[in-house]
Amino acid sequence: MSFVALDPLDVASRVVQLLEAGRRNSTYKLATVMALVDISVENTAAPDGSLMVPVDEIAHRIIGYYWNQVRSFHRHGRLAQVVRGRSVPDRIADARDILLRDGLRTAEAAREACHPVYQRLLRSVRLTVAQQPLTHLQTVPHSRTRDEFLFDASGFHKKMTVEDLDRIAVIVLRPGVPDGLRRTSTLLRTFVRSLWAHDVIDLNRAELDAEDIDGFLFGADRTALRALVDPLRDLQSDRCFYCDNRLPAEVHIDHVVPWSMIPIDGVANLVAADARCNLDKSASIPIREHVTRALERDSLSDVSAVTRIPVLHERTASAAQGVYAALPAGSMLWRSSGAYQPYSP
C-alpha cells in the first residue's frame, strides 16, 4: 500500500491528537515521540521522504531522556513514571549508579565505551520499547484500531520476544513524517514536555509545581559537565567562546546548539563561556558561525579523552543542519550579548 506524504502541520496535528486523546499509564509514549523528533531532526530522509530508524537507536534516546530524570527530586525521591511495577527508569537508575562509579557521566559516554552494563540495559529497554510504545503509540484511544500514519507497526505486539525484535530491528517512518517532525520539532517538544510534566505530577499524586518539574525533567545536568571547565578553558586559551573576553573564575559550560532544541552532551556542542554571554544566549539558536567555529575547534578528541565525555561531532553537525533547515526565514538568531540577526536560509 502506498502512502501520500503528509504535510508537516498534518503530521504534528495527528501526533498531538493521538497523545492528547489517550490515557497513559506511563511516560513511555512521550519519550518515544521525543526520540523520534530528535532522530528526524538529526538525520536526512531518503529520496522518497521516509527514514529508517533502528529500534536500538530509539531505545538509546529514551535512556538518554530518563538518565537525568532518575535522580532524586528534593524530598520526593525518585519520581514515578509508570502506574505500577518495575519500570524502565528503575532499570536505568540501577545501571546509571554503576556507570557513574566507572566515570561514565552520560548515556552517550556509556554507549561509546561499550560498557557491558549499558549494553545489557539497552537490550532490556529495546524490548520494552517494542512491546509497549511502538506497539501502542498509534492505537486510536478507546479502540483496537491503529492509525499507522507514522510507521508500519504490524510486526509489533505486547508479547514480542527478543528473536521477534531482532528480525524486525527497525521502523521506517513514512514519507513526509521525518520532515513533518523536523519542521514542527519546536512545537512538538513544547507540547510533549507539558504533557510529560503533568503526567509525572499525576503519577506521583503529589503537590508538585509544573514549572519546577519541567526544569527537573528536561534541564541539562550541569554537574556532569563541570569536568569540562578546565579542559575547555585551556582549549579556548582562557577566552569566552562567544565574546573572546578573558574568562572569569566562574565559567559556564554552554550548549551551542541549545539543549532545549536537541539534547546533545558532546564536546563538539559544548563551549566555555562567561556568565554574561551564557545567560544572554540562554536557549536562543545562535548564528551558524558559532556552530561552525565550535565544530572546527582542534583537539576535541583530547578533551574527550580527559573527561570521558564523547565528542559527538557528526551528531552535532547533523542536528545543527536539521535545526536550521526547520527555521522560517527571518527567525532571529543570537549573535552576541544583546545582538540578534535575522536568519537567511
Side-chain angles (χ1 to χ4, degrees):
M1 182 185 298
S2 62
F3 283 79
V4 177
L6 292 171
D7 177 89
L9 287 179
D10 288 340
V11 173
S13 177
R14 290 174 74 172
V15 170
V16 167
Q17 184 181 21
L18 278 179
L19 295 179
E20 198 168 44
R23 185 172 181 271
R24 290 173 296 279
N25 294 320
S26 75
T27 57
Y28 298 170
K29 283 186 181 180
L30 303 177
T32 301
V33 170
M34 291 283 267
L36 293 177
V37 169
D38 288 350
I39 291 167
S40 296
V41 169
E42 295 177 32
N43 292 275
T44 302
D48 69 349
S50 65
L51 180 65
M52 185 177 294
V53 181
V55 176
D56 277 16
E57 186 64 22
I58 298 171
H60 170 68
R61 301 303 179 100
I62 289 172
I63 291 171
Y65 269 106
Y66 286 125
W67 185 267
N68 290 333
Q69 297 183 9
V70 299
R71 297 169 295 163
S72 291
F73 180 69
H74 307 318
R75 60 182 175 79
H76 300 283
R78 187 187 307 159
L79 296 172
Q81 303 234 23
V82 300
V83 170
R84 65 177 67 86
R86 181 166 169 77
S87 66
V88 165
D90 290 333
R91 282 176 260 161
I92 293 171
D94 292 345
R96 182 178 183 270
D97 288 343
I98 297 170
L99 294 165
L100 287 175
R101 288 198 294 270
D102 286 350
L104 299 169
R105 300 177 178 88
T106 66
E108 292 289 354
R111 177 165 74 165
E112 193 158 287
C114 297
H115 197 290
V117 170
Y118 180 80
Q119 292 175 327
R120 287 195 296 272
L121 173 66
L122 182 63
R123 287 195 295 271
S124 170
V125 171
R126 72 192 282 266
L127 185 59
T128 300
V129 168
Q131 293 171 335
Q132 297 185 34
L134 291 183
T135 295
H136 300 296
L137 179 61
Q138 300 172 104
T139 301
V140 177
H142 314 299
S143 76
R144 295 184 180 180
T145 303
R146 284 178 174 172
D147 179 18
E148 296 189 345
F149 69 96
L150 292 172
F151 58 90
D152 178 3
S154 59
F156 292 88
H157 54 88
K158 65 181 181 181
K159 294 184 179 179
M160 285 184 77
T161 64
V162 172
E163 292 73 22
D164 294 334
L165 181 52
D166 287 342
R167 281 193 294 271
I168 298 175
V170 301
I171 64 169
V172 179
L173 296 180
R174 297 196 189 280
V177 169
D179 184 56
L181 295 179
R182 175 173 57 84
R183 289 183 177 276
T184 61
S185 57
T186 301
L187 296 174
L188 282 176
R189 282 197 189 95
T190 301
F191 171 73
V192 174
R193 281 175 54 160
S194 176
L195 287 185
W196 199 328
H198 283 92
D199 280 4
V200 167
I201 291 172
D202 290 342
L203 287 166
N204 287 272
R205 300 181 180 180
E207 292 295 326
L208 301 173
D209 181 83
E211 187 173 343
D212 287 346
I213 289 293
D214 180 86
F216 174 79
L217 295 177
F218 303 109
D221 183 5
R222 300 293 174 181
T223 303
L225 303 181
R226 296 310 298 172
L228 284 165
V229 170
D230 290 338
L232 287 180
R233 187 191 283 272
D234 291 342
L235 181 66
Q236 297 170 201
S237 302
D238 206 30
R239 297 284 177 175
C240 172
F241 178 80
Y242 297 114
C243 68
D244 202 39
N245 288 333
R246 185 168 295 281
L247 285 166
E250 182 183 355
V251 174
H252 288 217
I253 301 300
D254 182 59
H255 294 81
V256 182
V257 181
W259 173 269
S260 60
M261 296 293 299
I262 198 85
I264 301 180
D265 272 340
V267 177
N269 191 41
L270 294 162
V271 299
D274 60 27
R276 179 170 177 263
C277 287
N278 183 50
L279 296 176
D280 189 81
K281 174 177 175 282
S282 187
S284 299
I285 300 172
I287 57 172
R288 281 182 179 271
E289 289 87 334
H290 288 320
V291 177
T292 300
R293 285 195 304 114
L295 292 170
E296 291 179 348
R297 290 173 295 168
D298 294 328
S299 305
L300 294 179
S301 58
D302 294 340
V303 174
S304 176
V306 170
T307 61
R308 301 188 74 181
I309 295 174
V311 176
L312 303 182
H313 189 282
E314 183 177 345
R315 188 176 163 197
T316 301
S318 297
Q321 182 178 349
V323 167
Y324 288 115
L327 284 178
S331 299
M332 300 306 291
L333 304 181
W334 187 87
R335 172 178 285 280
S336 60
S337 183
Y340 288 77
Q341 72 180 51
Y343 172 60
S344 177

